[in-house]
Amino acid sequence: TSALRDLMPGGTQIVACTATISRQTKIFFADAKNIVMPAEDVLKKRITHWAIYAETRDKIDTLRKLLAAEKPAKALVFTSRADQVENIYQKLAYKKVDCACIHAKTDKQQRKATMDRFRSGKIPVLITSDLGARGLDIPEITHIIQMDLPSDEDFFVHRCGRTARAGKTGINIVIGDEWEMR
């Protein structure tokens, strides 16, 4: 942490911008000048939150029905389990839902091509794991659909934060089982 800063040339300026601050980040910037912007409360003011109950075995079919009913212009579907990304994609594609997926095993060129098609609106639904939650800046995402709750509440914030950007509004939907609904 401070040892890492000591390795940087003198006069180096470090700027960090984030919606959430982890314990490690706080330690790294402990003796730095911090400017904290006033909370915009985007999660409450510009994002509408829905919770839809579904048994675990019925979640993907519930997702398919939700997509058919809502017809989102651009939906990002999250799952905490990386092994579920491909499963969700396969089941939706089998039912003729226009979608794509990216996960840790997606090679760099395929990932870029998929992201470009999603960004341009050629693919309306993108399925990903939490690796996709941070750093994605894709304009006009209308719906975030969470197939489960992440283990870390910061991931929930980062997932939701992919919509309602630049003054826009968005919808965050959690498809949860009995435990998740509680």
Side-chain angles (χ1 to χ4, degrees), residues 39-105:
E40 288 184 57
D41 234 352
V42 172
L43 288 179
K44 291 180 184 174
K45 292 181 180 174
R46 295 204 310 254
I47 300 175
T48 302
H49 297 273
W50 297 353
I52 299 174
Y53 171 79
E55 293 289 337
T56 302
R57 68 180 173 273
D58 298 328
K59 283 185 173 191
I60 297 173
D61 197 45
T62 300
L63 170 63
R64 183 188 57 77
K65 291 174 183 176
L66 173 67
L67 293 170
E70 276 292 295
K71 295 177 181 51
K74 216 179 266 187
L76 195 51
V77 178
F78 285 104
T79 179
S80 296
R81 294 182 38 213
D83 63 323
Q84 274 294 90
V85 173
E86 191 70 34
N87 183 42
I88 294 166
Y89 167 74
Q90 292 292 335
K91 288 184 177 181
L92 291 180
Y94 178 77
K95 295 287 187 170
K96 308 288 188 245
V97 175
D98 191 10
C99 61
C101 69
I102 56 170
H103 47 75
K105 294 180 182 175

Side-chain angles (χ1 to χ4, degrees), residues 6-65:
D6 294 341
L7 295 173
M8 295 179 189
T12 300
Q13 182 178 19
I14 301 170
V15 178
C17 303
T18 182
T20 58
I21 302 173
S22 69
R23 188 177 61 79
Q24 291 171 316
T25 304
K26 285 180 184 175
I27 292 168
F28 185 82
F29 288 104
D31 59 345
K33 179 180 177 184
N34 290 297
I35 301 171
V36 179
M37 302 299 290
E40 288 184 57
D41 234 352
V42 172
L43 288 179
K44 291 180 184 174
K45 292 181 180 174
R46 295 204 310 254
I47 300 175
T48 302
H49 297 273
W50 297 353
I52 299 174
Y53 171 79
E55 293 289 337
T56 302
R57 68 180 173 273
D58 298 328
K59 283 185 173 191
I60 297 173
D61 197 45
T62 300
L63 170 63
R64 183 188 57 77
K65 291 174 183 176

Side-chain angles (χ1 to χ4, degrees), residues 42-43 47 133 136 144 156-165:
V42 172
L43 288 179
I47 300 175
L136 286 184
I144 298 300
F156 183 85
V157 172
H158 284 281
R159 285 176 174 186
C160 293
R162 302 307 97 201
T163 190
R165 302 191 118 197

